[in-house]
Amino acid sequence: MASVELQGIGKRFGELSVIADLDLKIDEGEFVVFVGPSGCGKSTLLRMIAGLEDVSGGHLRIGGREVTDLDPAKRGVAMVFQSYALYPHMSVRDNMGFALSIDGTPAGEREERVMAAARILKIEHLVDRRPVHLSGGQRQRVAIGRAIVRDPEVFLFDEPLSNLDAALRGEMRMELARLHQRLGATMIYVTHDQVEAMTLADRIVVLDRGRIQQVGHPMDIYGRPDNLFVATFIGSPKMNVLDVVAGETMGGLLALSHPDLPPLALAVDGPSMAQGSPLKLGVRPNDLRFDVAEGGIVVKVDFVERHGDQTIVNCETESGLTLNVAIPGNVDTAPGNTHRLGLDSARCHLFADDGRLISRRPESNPARSR
Amino acid sequence: MTERLDQQSASAARRRGGGRPLGTAIRYLIFLGPAALLYVPFVLKPLIETFGLSLFAWNGVSAERTFVGLANYARALGDPIFWISLRNNLYWVVTSIVLPMATGLVIAVLLSAVRRGQRIYAGIFFTPVVLNLIIVGLVWGIIYNPLIGPLNRLLRAVGLGSLAIGWLGDRYAATPAIMVAGAWTFFGFCAVIFLQGLRTLDREQIEAATIDGAGPFRRFRKIIVPALSDQVTLLIVMSIIGSFKVFDIVYVMTKGGPDHASEVIATYMYWQSFMNGSLGYGAALAVMLTAVVAGASLAMMALRERD
Amino acid sequence: MRRRKTRHTLILHGVLIASALLTVFPLGLIALMAFKTNPEIFANPLALPGAWRWQQIGKAWTDGHFGPYYLNSLQVAVPTVLMVVIASTLAAYGLVFGRLPGARYALAAILLGLIVPLQAIIVSLFHDLGDMGLLNSLWGLSLAQAAVGLPFGIFMMRSFFLGIPKDLIEAARLDGAGDVTVLRRVVLPLATAPALTLATLQFMYSWNDFLLPLIILHDPSLRTVTLGLFYLQGGTYTLNYTMISAGVLITAVPIMVVFFLLQRQFIAGVTAGAVK
């Protein structure tokens, strides 16, 4: 168990800067998930922590020890690869014990530690098999077991569940959460799947284009996204975004106008907005009220997705803007129907044109109001 | 007791030694060292020397070499035997594209249609490929032999006795005769390459064409042949390279004779360098040969990169 | 329908058997000649021998010195194969996984060896071998053959190594394996199949090689089988067809036996040589 500290970390491939001047501190025993779209640098970052990728600038400390230029094997980290990377010519036992056999651990102790890990993962009966004779889920367990056996200071996971089918993925997700509770080890996990991020993480690090967009507890990331990218990346179905124009500010209330919207004013913090400046208004599909009696946004239903536990209605406003509404349970509607959508100003997120969050006054903060 | 512990930690340390990443210089030494030790003195150095030698006149024995610039290359242009050799190489290119490839294609299509015995047939057709060209040359030398050769017996038996000649001793017949023997060593290879291509051919494509009313010949022409275009390209380029490198079979069957009639660049180069004592000229011939073969090889690599 | 299919198959096999017979006809003819007397050969080359004169094969074996020649060939081919397989594997591993700065220049140099024909180096090689005292020596021939076969070997092993997932090597690195351990315990166990194919192929090249032995080996007692067979024709036996045929039989049969035993290996190797 150890903390991981990244200080001014950068990565360049020739002229191209993939990660620039990144700072992050991960506490002992924390489960941190790096999430972001493909190409955001999350895997590169993980591989830099592992030592598989050179660091172009900055410092990397594990457990307070400077490891920036240290060989991967000497950093006290173990990694679970997306492809599992099991040695095809070795039995499960030899796969899991490979690191111990290299560092000269006596055979008896090696066997004990391998079997202990196998017991945790319930794969004791598979230890004599070769990887080719294992199912995807079993291979996944062996890959995790190989990491456990080494008793590392930090576990690194690189999209470990992406090769599994949906059912197995859910199962392994819970298994990993349980493993973290049991071992209490520091874990860093890379994924592009926001469900994995939300369910597993103590803290989520949202990355885009090599920069940290936001770091925080999953519910904070969801409830108080720092910028438009985080707001639209986390949450499914995706947050609706409307282009609005700033009007007058009166008594701390900023008037916003949009052709399809009824008059709307939000309580904002900070300096007043220049009139006429373009802004982005974000509202999550489940924060829109479906079918209010009067007022609201007039929309026509385009199509309806019934998930059983919830219904997602895809609507179009008069000006041709698409809005998604998520409604718990079932709802009685059909394409072509007209409805009014209710918009609660307390549950709206406001962003500047460049995507920065325009902070709201505390009493009207959407996260608090729920 | 302590001794045993010491032994244990020593063995652990030794194992840890294998776990140590090596420095760059040591990695170069271990990984590329052995290859360099062979490659540099026995391939790279002579290759460079050949280029140098082609600019000199040297008989291979005397200590003195005379720099002659590009005179050796100019000499080739005015040398009728060089042109005969080059023309024969080009004949080889054409023949080895047409004869073995056509035969190989037919055999491959037939083989792809049988279910049982495919491996045995393929093995038989492939046998001439693995035999060395000295065996091939001797076997066909006997076939063509004017006294005991079965070819002339056959011709006489069917009343074509006027065509029965001393094949390898005839200035017009020698090259075609060798080329037939050469084709014998290459068609099985073509067949196997085509067969591999046919295996990847979508069976449903042929079935769809059949349902669309295409007969066997149309299917062959419109579906099978186009699907094998990669293999055709590969074999053509290989034929070109092989046809310019050809040496063994010519040397063992005719030594380039009679009177240089079946000479190819490689045998002529050998004759100039090792028999005629014109090493500079031989080197110039080698450089020209290399240019053609290297060009064709690069073309082949470029084709493979494209896929 | 069914009957038509059967007839179809019969015709197919008929054509294939005829082609196969035609293919082996020249070899069969020579095999028969080896048992005939010279008068029999002159009388009718196609007829069966009057008696199976095995002693003619024995005589050709002794008079043609094939015993020592076989030993010479082995003495050349075995070290050649070992050198090529070991040096190619190491070099290919270094080029793919060795983190060698400037590896692409080394690769380019090797590529050069792949595209130039043997004829491009033969004259200079002859003189260089002479300077090194390696002419007229089986070791000299082995070294030359190994060097000439090396570019292809490196290329073949390299394309195999390129197919090994990078994750596997990185996992081993994280497990604490250094360069030597990764090679010995992860890469080599996976590389046995291509290494065997390369060995088979290189053995065949070495065994069948003619040009290098022709220029390197002058002493008749050092001849390889291939070279010995060649001189059978040019030597005192020019008109002794029995002797030549027996020599062909002696040299061809072992190759064919090995080929049929290792057919899959051979065909895979030879065609891989073309495709890769």
Side-chain angles (χ1 to χ4, degrees):
Chain A
M1 229 194 307
S3 63
V4 178
E5 205 177 329
L6 284 70
Q7 190 186 18
I9 290 290
K11 177 72 184 174
R12 279 184 305 277
F13 292 109
E15 290 289 286
L16 185 74
S17 173
V18 192
I19 289 169
D21 197 25
L22 187 143
D23 293 304
L24 182 68
K25 181 148 180 0
I26 296 164
D27 293 327
E28 277 183 42
E30 214 182 354
F31 198 126
V32 169
V33 175
F34 295 170
V35 69
S38 63
C40 71
K42 55 187 191 294
S43 280
T44 309
L45 196 57
L46 190 78
R47 291 167 55 80
M48 276 157 61
I49 297 172
L52 296 173
E53 207 79 64
D54 289 337
V55 175
S56 313
H59 293 278
L60 190 65
R61 288 181 204 94
I62 295 178
R65 190 167 58 118
E66 175 85 30
V67 298
T68 317
D69 296 314
L70 209 59
D71 192 66
K74 301 211 171 85
R75 297 185 179 204
V77 300
M79 183 151 160
V80 177
F81 289 81
Q82 180 174 8
S83 65
Y84 315 144
L86 301 179
Y87 311 120
H89 56 289
M90 296 182 199
S91 66
V92 167
R93 175 185 274 118
D94 291 345
N95 259 285
M96 290 170 63
F98 187 61
L100 299 183
S101 87
I102 289 173
D103 72 14
T105 305
E109 187 192 335
R110 193 159 79 214
E111 173 70 10
E112 253 168 55
R113 284 168 67 178
V114 167
M115 289 316 290
R119 257 191 306 280
I120 293 176
L121 295 160
K122 304 187 194 75
I123 50 173
E124 302 110 296
H125 60 295
L126 301 175
V127 290
D128 291 319
R129 293 207 197 157
R130 293 266 176 108
V132 268
H133 298 120
L134 300 178
S135 70
Q138 291 168 337
R139 280 179 212 184
Q140 172 69 75
R141 281 164 198 272
V142 175
I144 295 170
R146 191 168 63 181
I148 294 177
V149 167
R150 294 191 45 204
D151 191 19
E153 312 229 50
V154 182
F155 282 85
L156 307 174
F157 296 92
D158 190 6
E159 309 223 12
L161 304 185
S162 57
N163 286 338
L164 300 178
D165 63 45
L168 213 50
R169 209 180 304 155
E171 194 184 308
M172 284 308 296
R173 215 165 55 210
M174 276 186 239
E175 195 101 14
L176 281 172
R178 209 172 293 142
L179 192 71
H180 180 238
Q181 276 176 6
R182 177 170 180 163
L183 300 175
T186 312
M187 295 186 172
I188 307 176
Y189 188 107
V190 162
T191 183
H192 62 267
D193 182 321
Q194 49 160 308
V195 180
E196 284 173 26
M198 292 294 288
T199 52
L200 285 169
D202 292 328
R203 275 198 302 160
I204 291 180
V205 178
V206 184
L207 288 155
D208 186 39
R209 280 169 283 168
R211 290 182 185 281
I212 293 182
Q213 301 295 320
Q214 190 169 358
V215 183
H217 185 273
M219 282 322 291
D220 288 340
I221 301 258
Y222 180 82
R224 282 192 301 248
D226 270 353
N227 56 43
L228 192 60
F229 172 80
V230 177
T232 51
F233 187 75
I234 301 286
S236 173
K238 228 167 119 167
M239 182 184 277
N240 296 299
V241 178
L242 293 84
D243 292 304
V244 295
V245 179
E248 286 183 358
T249 312
M250 267 175 17
L253 288 179
L254 172 66
L256 300 170
S257 60
H258 184 276
D260 294 324
L261 253 56
L264 182 72
L266 297 185
V268 295
D269 209 12
S272 61
M273 209 51 69
Q275 265 195 42
S277 46
L279 299 173
K280 308 271 187 194
L281 183 73
V283 55
R284 294 207 183 274
N286 49 347
D287 287 339
L288 280 169
R289 265 171 302 134
F290 189 65
D291 214 18
V292 289
E294 54 181 29
I297 314 161
V298 180
V299 294
K300 210 163 88 185
V301 173
D302 209 11
F303 59 84
V304 185
E305 252 181 46
R306 298 181 202 280
H307 290 241
D309 58 336
Q310 67 167 349
T311 305
I312 294 162
V313 183
N314 184 281
C315 319
E316 201 174 288
T317 66
E318 280 161 351
S319 71
L321 184 74
T322 302
L323 290 176
N324 280 312
V325 194
I327 307 136
N330 198 8
V331 71
D332 182 25
T333 189
N337 289 3
T338 306
H339 296 275
R340 286 171 182 279
L341 302 180
L343 187 66
D344 183 349
S345 66
R347 296 191 169 191
C348 289
H349 306 257
L350 191 61
F351 304 95
D353 198 39
D354 62 4
R356 265 182 310 116
L357 180 76
I358 294 171
S359 60
R360 310 282 309 279
R361 268 219 304 282
E363 58 270 22
S364 65
N365 192 301
R368 290 279 170 90
S369 69
R370 293 174 81 182
Chain B
M1 184 65 199
T2 26
E3 214 180 275
R4 242 188 85 203
L5 270 179
D6 278 349
Q7 262 177 7
Q8 245 176 26
S9 65
S11 81
R14 201 175 52 239
R15 257 173 275 162
R16 259 181 234 117
R20 201 176 42 228
L22 306 166
T24 307
I26 299 190
R27 288 203 305 272
Y28 255 107
L29 207 65
I30 290 185
F31 298 139
L32 292 185
L37 223 52
L38 286 170
Y39 188 67
V40 173
F42 298 112
V43 174
L44 218 48
K45 180 169 174 265
L47 180 63
I48 296 163
E49 286 168 345
T50 301
F51 279 86
L53 188 57
S54 73
L55 305 176
F56 287 85
W58 186 38
N59 62 15
V61 185
S62 70
E64 203 170 316
R65 304 179 184 201
T66 321
F67 182 78
V68 294
L70 295 174
N72 285 324
Y73 294 91
R75 176 174 163 193
L77 300 182
D79 178 355
I81 302 175
F82 168 76
W83 290 108
I84 291 174
S85 309
L86 188 63
R87 189 202 61 198
N88 282 338
N89 276 123
L90 291 172
Y91 283 165
W92 271 92
V93 171
V94 176
T95 320
S96 64
I97 286 175
V98 177
L99 216 57
M101 271 177 69
T103 324
L105 181 58
V106 173
I107 298 267
V109 171
L110 292 177
L111 278 178
S112 70
V114 297
R115 254 174 238 159
R116 251 180 276 176
Q118 202 189 61
R119 249 194 82 184
I120 297 172
Y121 286 126
I124 293 173
F125 294 126
F126 207 77
T127 306
V129 182
V130 298
L131 293 177
N132 68 54
L133 293 167
I134 309 309
I135 295 177
V136 174
L138 291 181
V139 166
W140 283 83
I142 287 179
I143 303 265
Y144 291 130
N145 189 296
L147 297 172
I148 62 155
L151 181 61
N152 283 351
R153 302 264 169 161
L154 190 77
L155 289 172
R156 287 192 195 99
V158 297
L160 291 170
S162 58
L163 292 179
I165 51 174
W167 294 90
L168 296 177
D170 185 281
R171 56 179 305 117
Y172 297 105
T175 292
I178 306 169
M179 288 192 298
V180 169
W184 184 66
T185 67
F186 191 46
F187 83 93
F189 181 84
C190 298
V192 168
I193 292 281
F194 282 134
L195 191 60
Q196 284 173 352
L198 288 173
R199 285 211 188 105
T200 60
L201 178 65
D202 194 356
R203 197 152 275 282
E204 284 177 6
Q205 248 186 58
I206 296 176
E207 283 164 359
T210 314
I211 291 166
D212 287 346
F217 288 104
R218 193 180 292 261
R219 289 203 297 267
F220 181 76
R221 223 157 40 85
K222 297 281 183 188
I223 311 282
I224 296 177
V225 174
L228 291 176
S229 64
D230 280 358
Q231 282 77 15
V232 171
T233 321
L234 172 80
L235 290 172
I236 285 180
V237 183
M238 282 193 66
S239 299
I240 295 173
I241 296 171
S243 297
F244 276 96
K245 280 161 90 165
V246 63
F247 173 82
D248 295 8
I249 194 167
V250 176
Y251 192 73
V252 71
M253 287 177 84
T254 64
K255 286 205 169 84
D259 191 21
H260 298 295
S262 63
E263 206 82 75
V264 287
I265 301 276
T267 54
Y268 188 48
M269 183 218 94
Y270 179 88
W271 185 79
Q272 285 290 0
S273 306
F274 292 103
M275 304 290 159
N276 203 33
S278 297
L279 277 83
Y281 186 39
L285 292 173
V287 169
M288 287 188 275
L289 178 65
T290 303
V292 177
V293 172
S297 302
L298 283 176
M300 177 150 87
M301 286 177 192
L303 283 173
R304 260 184 254 139
E305 289 293 300
R306 203 191 51 185
D307 300 332
Chain C
M1 188 63 198
R2 191 164 194 178
R3 184 172 298 173
R4 220 185 94 194
K5 201 131 202 185
T6 317
R7 214 182 63 193
H8 210 90
T9 313
L10 278 178
I11 294 173
L12 209 59
H13 279 282
V15 175
L16 280 169
I17 290 172
S19 321
L21 286 176
L22 208 61
T23 303
V24 295
F25 167 75
L27 291 173
L29 191 80
I30 302 301
L32 289 182
M33 266 185 202
F35 293 97
K36 293 183 193 172
T37 59
N38 258 1
E40 270 180 332
I41 292 172
F42 277 92
N44 182 2
L46 294 172
L48 284 176
W52 295 99
R53 302 180 185 87
W54 288 97
Q55 69 277 12
Q56 296 194 142
I57 314 286
K59 187 169 154 42
W61 176 270
T62 331
D63 291 2
H65 310 288
F66 280 107
Y69 291 171
Y70 263 96
L71 287 179
N72 289 343
S73 277
L74 278 175
Q75 220 175 311
V76 171
V78 172
T80 302
V81 169
L82 287 177
M83 283 191 279
V84 168
V85 171
I86 292 171
S88 302
T89 308
L90 283 173
Y93 175 81
L95 291 174
V96 177
F97 301 118
R99 296 164 290 131
L100 300 175
R104 58 204 177 102
Y105 299 109
L107 184 65
I110 291 158
L111 225 62
L112 185 70
L114 207 56
I115 61 172
V116 301
L118 181 56
Q119 285 87 357
I121 63 169
I122 196 89
V123 179
S124 309
L125 180 64
F126 174 79
H127 288 279
D128 289 351
L129 286 171
D131 294 344
M132 289 184 269
L134 288 169
L135 272 186
N136 214 6
S137 129
L138 294 179
W139 269 108
L141 178 57
S142 246
L143 286 166
Q145 281 183 347
V148 168
L150 195 64
F152 172 73
I154 293 175
F155 218 60
M156 187 175 158
M157 294 310 290
R158 176 178 168 270
S159 64
F160 173 78
F161 288 158
L162 286 176
I164 293 181
K166 233 180 121 209
D167 283 359
L168 211 60
I169 309 301
E170 292 182 340
R173 286 252 150 82
L174 277 171
D175 275 346
D179 296 286
V180 176
T181 311
V182 173
L183 175 65
R184 199 168 56 87
R185 295 184 59 183
V186 178
V187 173
L188 282 190
L190 296 174
T192 44
L196 271 178
T197 305
L198 176 60
T200 313
L201 209 57
Q202 186 58 51
F203 192 90
M204 187 183 100
Y205 287 156
S206 178
W207 195 267
N208 287 346
D209 188 17
F210 171 65
L211 183 52
L212 283 172
L214 180 69
I215 65 152
I216 293 176
L217 306 176
H218 308 134
D219 185 342
S221 69
L222 288 178
R223 283 173 190 166
T224 60
V225 174
T226 306
L227 197 59
L229 181 65
F230 172 74
Y231 280 116
L232 208 57
Q233 155 195 254
T236 42
Y237 304 101
T238 310
L239 287 173
N240 191 340
Y241 299 108
T242 300
M243 184 74 174
I244 291 173
S245 309
V248 166
L249 203 62
I250 286 168
T251 50
V253 167
I255 297 175
M256 288 168 66
V257 169
V258 175
F259 166 63
F260 274 97
L261 288 177
L262 295 174
Q263 186 181 329
R264 200 184 293 263
Q265 202 87 30
F266 258 89
I267 294 185
V270 176
T271 53
V275 181
K276 287 212 178 95

